[in-house]
C-alpha cells in the first residue's frame, strides 16, 4: 500500500521486528520461524531461528520454497532467496489481549505453493477481529520426498515449527495462543488432518478447518521407492539424504519435475499415484505421522480439537477444465477411470446405475471427486465424531460462472470466498469478469462462519452426527440439510481411507517379489 507506514517495533522471542500499518491493520511479512533449510540443513528437520540484534524490518514476503512444475496462475514474479521458512501476520489491534488466531496452510498438491499471492491476503479475515497468520512450508521433494537418513514429512515438520512460533509469539500481535485455529485447503487440508494426528502438534491448536481433504497418504515403502527413483535420476543411486542434499535445491526440483512428467511409466509399481499430478503426499512413517488421520481421529487423538470439514460439489471439474478435457471424455476413458479410482470391483456398473443420466465426462469427474476429496472429507467428519470430537460438515454447491459456466462448484473455489479475495486473478479464474453479487454474499457468509468458529461461537449450524449427517450447504441461498451427496456416500459405504502402497508383488525398492 502506498500510504503504509512502519509500526513501532515489537518484541518476539528471537528479536525485535517492525511491520507496516496498512489502513486499520498492522501487517508483518517474511518473519522467519526457522533457519533456511539449505547447506548443512538441506533435507533436515527445521531448526530454530537464530536471534538477531537491532530491529528487523518485516515489510516483504519471504521467498517461496522450490516449486515443482506448476507455475503461478497470475504470472507474478515471486521473491527470490533461500529463506523459505517464513510467516506473515495481520493484526487488527497490536494492543489487544486474547484475539482469536487463524493460521492458514496453503494447498498445491504438495508440489507448489507460497504465501505471497494476493489470494492469500489476510486483510479481510483480520478485519473481522482475528489475528491471521499464513506460512510457507517445504513442498515437493524438499518437503515430502523420502531419502535415507532424512526425516520424513519435512513439510509437516515445518508447519509444526510455525505453530510453535505462533504459540510463543502471537500474544505480542494481540492474539491468544490458546485460541488458535489452523485452516487449510486441498494439500493444506491434508496437512491440517495430518497435524491432528501428529504427536508433535498436540496442544498447538484449539480448532481446525479442513477444506477438501485429499485422501492421498503414502506408505513408507511407496514413498521410499519414489524417493529412490528421484535419487537415481539425480545421479545419487544410493538414495541417501547426504547424496541427494549435495545437489543444489534447483537441481532436485528439476529432476523431480522430470519424474512428474514421466509418471505414467511407473504405473506398474505406483498404481493410482502414477495417474495423479504428483508423487508426493504425507507419509505414514510411524514416527512423524504414526498413522493416517482417519485412524488417529477415530481413536480419539484430537477429540479436544473442534473441526470443520467439507468439500466442494464438483471438485474434479477444475482439473478437467484447466486441461481442456471437460466434456471430452470418451466412454472408454470413463470406463478406465471408474475401474482405476472406484470403490472396488463392479464400480463402473454401480456408478452408471446410480447416475443413469451422467455422460462419460460427468462419470469420470464424479468418481475422481469422490475418491480424491469428497469421501475422504466425509470420512474425516465420521472419524472425528467416532473418536469423541465435535465436527461440523459443509459442502460448497454454488455454481461459479467462470469458463463459460463450466467451473461449477469446483476445487479451490472456496479459497477466494473464505479469504474475501474476490478481486484477484485467482478469483477471476472461477468468477470470470466482474464479481457476482452472489459471490459477495457467499464470501461474507463463509468468512463469518470461519471467524465465528475460531472465536469459539460455533460456525452457525449443528454438529455432524452419523445418524443425521447435518451439513451446511453453501449456495445461493444456503441451507442446512442432511449430507447432499447421498448417492456417492452409498456407493462408498464401508470403504475406508487407507494409505496408497506399492502395487501388489512389488518388494523393496519396487522390485517384483522373487526377481
Amino acid at each position: 500500500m502506498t500510504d503504509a507506514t512502519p509500526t513501532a517495533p515489537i518484541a518476539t522471542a528471537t528479536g525485535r521486528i517492525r511491520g507496516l500499518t496498512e489502513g486499520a491493520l498492522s501487517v508483518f511479512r517474511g518473519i522467519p520461524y526457522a533457519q533456511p533449510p539449505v547447506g548443512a540443513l538441506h533435507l533436515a528437520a527445521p531448526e530454530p531461528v537464530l536471534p538477531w540484534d537491532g530491529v528487523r524490518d518485516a515489510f516483504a514476503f519471504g521467498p517461496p520454497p522450490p516449486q515443482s512444475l506448476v507455475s503461478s496462475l497470475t504470472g507474478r514474479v515471486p521473491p527470490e532467496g533461500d529463506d523459505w521458512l517464513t510467516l506473515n501476520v495481520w493484526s487488527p489491534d497490536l494492543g489487544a489481549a486474547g484475539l482469536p488466531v487463524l493460521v492458514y496452510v496453503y494447498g498445491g498438491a504438495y508440489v507448489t505453493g507460497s504465501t505471497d499471492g494476493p489470494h492469500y491476503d489476510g486483510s479481510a479475515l483480520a478485519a473481522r477481529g482475528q489475528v491471521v497468520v499464513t506460512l510457507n512450508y517445504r513442498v515437493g521433494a524438499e518437503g515430502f520426498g523420502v531419502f535415507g537418513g532424512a526425516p520424513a514429512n519435512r513439510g509437516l515438520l515445518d508447519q509444526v515449527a510455525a505453530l510453535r512460533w505462533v504459540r510463543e509469539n502471537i500474544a505480542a500481535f494481540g492474539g491468544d495462543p490458546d485460541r488458535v485455529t489452523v485452516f487449510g485447503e486441498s494439500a493444506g487440508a491434508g496437512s491440517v488432518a495430518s497435524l491432528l494426528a501428529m504427536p508433535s502438534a498436540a496442544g498447538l491448536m484449539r480448532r481446525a478447518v479442513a477444506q477438501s481433504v485429499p485422501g492421498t497418504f503414502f506408505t513408507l515403502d511407496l514413498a521410499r521407492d519414489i524417493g529412490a527413483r528421484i535419487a537415481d535420476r539425480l545421479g545419487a543411486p544410493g538414495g541417501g539424504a547426504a547424496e541427494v542434499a549435495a545437489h543444489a535445491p534447483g537441481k532436485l526440483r528439476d529432476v523431480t519435475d522430470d519424474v512428474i512428467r514421466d509418471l505414467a511409466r511407473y504405473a506398474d509399481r505406483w498404481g493410482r499415484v502414477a495417474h495423479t499430478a504428483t508423487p508426493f503426499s504425507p507419509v505414514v512413517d510411524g514416527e512423524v505421522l504414526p498413522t493416517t488421520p482417519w485412524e488417529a481421529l477415530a481413536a480419539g487423538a484430537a477429540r479436544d480439537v473442534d473441526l470443520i470439514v467439507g468439500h466442494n460439489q464438483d471438485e474434479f471439474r477444475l482439473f478437467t477444465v484447466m486441461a481442456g478435457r471437460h466434456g471430452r471424455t470418451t466412454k472408454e476413458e470413463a470406463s478406465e477411470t471408474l475401474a482405476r479410482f472406484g470403490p472396488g470391483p463392479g464400480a463402473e456398473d454401480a456408478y452408471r446405475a446410480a447416475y443413469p443420466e451422467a455422460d462419460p465426462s460427468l462419470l469420470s469427474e464424479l468418481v475422481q471427486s469422490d475418491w480424491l476429496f469428497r469421501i475422504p472429507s466425509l470420512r474425516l467428519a465420521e472419524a472425528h465424531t467416532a473418536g469423541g470430537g465435535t465436527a461440523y460438515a459443509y459442502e460448497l454447491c454454488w455454481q461459479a460462472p467462470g469458463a463459460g459456466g463450466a467451473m461449477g462448484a469446483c476445487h479451490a473455489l472456496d479459497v477466494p470466498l473464505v479469504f474475501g479475495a474476490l478481486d484477484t486473478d485467482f478469483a477471476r479464474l472461477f468468477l470470470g469478469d466482474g464479481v457476482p453479487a452472489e459471490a459477495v454474499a457467499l464470501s461474507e457468509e463463509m468468512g463469518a462462519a470461519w471467524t465465528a468458529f475460531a472465536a469459539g461461537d460455533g460456525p452457525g449450524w449443528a454438529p455432524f452426527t452419523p445418524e443425521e449427517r447435518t451439513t451446511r450447504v453453501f449456495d445461493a441461498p444456503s441451507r442446512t440439510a442432511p449430507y447432499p451427496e447421498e448417492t456417492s456416500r452409498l456407493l462408498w459405504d464401508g470403504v475406508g481411507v487407507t494409505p496408497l502402497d506399492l502395487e501388489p508383488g512389488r518388494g523393496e525398492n519396487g522390485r517384483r517379489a522373487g526377481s
Side-chain angles (χ1 to χ4, degrees):
M1 295 179 61
T2 56
D3 59 346
T5 58
T7 66
I10 66 170
T12 72
T14 50
R16 293 190 299 160
I17 62 172
R18 61 177 182 171
L20 294 172
T21 300
E22 299 180 359
L25 303 175
S26 299
V27 184
F28 301 78
R29 298 180 175 90
I31 306 171
Y33 67 83
Q35 293 183 49
V38 294
L41 298 181
H42 192 200
L43 302 183
E47 289 289 335
V49 172
L50 300 175
W52 61 83
D53 296 324
V55 178
R56 181 177 181 136
D57 288 339
F59 296 167
F61 290 110
Q67 305 284 293
S68 289
L69 272 184
V70 185
S71 61
S72 168
L73 293 170
T74 63
R76 57 189 168 79
V77 177
E80 295 182 356
D82 55 19
D83 199 0
W84 311 328
L85 304 185
T86 62
L87 53 76
N88 320 292
V89 181
W90 287 259
S91 174
D93 186 355
L94 293 176
L99 294 176
V101 181
L102 277 167
V103 180
Y104 186 70
V105 183
Y106 52 69
Y110 303 108
V111 295
T112 188
S114 64
T115 61
D116 58 293
H119 47 291
Y120 295 143
D121 188 289
S123 298
L125 289 172
R128 296 178 181 275
Q130 313 267 323
V131 177
V132 177
V133 179
T134 63
L135 62 98
N136 278 357
Y137 65 95
R138 283 173 282 183
V139 294
E142 297 286 347
F144 294 93
V146 170
F147 307 107
N153 298 304
R154 293 175 298 279
L156 298 178
L157 292 174
D158 292 345
Q159 296 165 25
V160 172
L163 288 173
R164 287 175 176 157
W165 184 97
V166 168
R167 182 153 194 86
E168 188 171 28
N169 293 286
I170 207 65
F173 300 84
D176 184 346
D178 292 320
R179 284 207 293 172
V180 172
T181 297
V182 183
F183 70 124
E185 184 268 343
S186 194
S191 296
V192 170
S194 299
L195 291 168
L196 292 172
M198 291 169 59
S200 60
L204 296 178
M205 71 189 91
R206 177 63 186 85
R207 297 175 184 87
V209 182
Q211 302 168 213
S212 301
V213 182
T216 52
F217 282 67
F218 291 176
T219 66
L220 192 55
D221 283 344
L222 174 61
R224 280 174 174 158
D225 193 66
I226 293 170
R229 302 288 75 75
I230 293 171
D232 285 346
R233 291 202 182 191
L234 194 63
E243 296 175 279
V244 174
H247 296 270
K251 181 69 178 297
L252 177 57
R253 177 200 60 211
D254 292 343
V255 168
T256 301
D257 286 354
D258 290 339
V259 171
I260 294 174
R261 292 187 186 97
D262 205 19
L263 273 175
R265 73 174 282 194
Y266 299 104
D268 70 329
R269 67 200 308 145
W270 299 345
R272 287 169 167 172
V273 173
H275 299 282
T276 65
T278 172
F280 301 108
S281 283
V283 180
V284 182
D285 67 320
E287 296 183 19
V288 175
L289 185 60
T291 187
T292 68
W294 296 270
E295 188 174 351
L297 266 60
R303 64 167 58 96
D304 295 331
V305 179
D306 296 338
L307 173 68
I308 292 177
V309 59
H311 57 72
N312 302 349
Q313 184 178 59
D314 308 310
E315 290 279 5
F316 208 77
R317 183 76 54 80
L318 173 68
F319 308 108
T320 57
V321 171
M322 295 296 290
R325 295 289 298 160
H326 177 57
R328 298 183 178 181
T329 304
T330 67
K331 183 178 180 180
E332 292 72 21
E333 289 170 335
S335 294
E336 292 177 2
T337 301
L338 287 162
R340 181 177 297 131
F341 295 107
E348 179 177 359
D349 291 341
Y351 264 84
R352 292 189 186 280
Y355 295 100
E357 303 300 319
D359 62 18
S361 286
L362 181 55
L363 284 170
S364 181
E365 289 176 359
L366 279 167
V367 72
Q368 291 182 91
S369 293
D370 286 340
W371 173 73
L372 188 54
F373 297 114
R374 301 201 310 186
I375 297 304
S377 298
L378 175 64
R379 291 284 183 267
L380 199 69
E382 293 171 341
H384 196 48
T385 302
T390 299
Y392 299 87
Y394 77 88
E395 181 178 51
L396 174 58
C397 292
W398 181 69
Q399 300 293 296
M407 281 296 190
C410 70
H411 189 65
L413 171 61
D414 47 313
V415 173
L417 294 175
V418 168
F419 272 91
L422 302 181
D423 189 23
T424 63
D425 288 340
F426 187 72
R428 280 185 279 277
L429 176 70
F430 309 101
L431 304 181
D433 296 330
V435 180
E438 289 181 347
V440 174
L442 201 53
S443 178
E444 170 65 25
E445 182 182 358
M446 295 185 78
W450 268 226
T451 52
F453 175 72
D457 300 328
W461 66 92
F464 179 92
T465 64
E467 298 77 23
E468 297 183 354
R469 295 186 292 278
T470 301
T471 304
R472 184 61 176 172
V473 180
F474 289 109
D475 205 340
S478 298
R479 65 191 186 279
T480 301
Y483 181 65
E485 307 305 333
E486 184 69 2
T487 301
S488 285
R489 187 187 73 82
L490 291 174
L491 285 170
W492 288 80
D493 187 38
V495 180
V497 183
T498 56
L500 300 177
D501 201 354
L502 285 168
E503 285 294 277
R506 291 289 180 179
E508 185 180 359
N509 291 328
R511 292 190 296 270
R512 286 284 183 195
S515 63

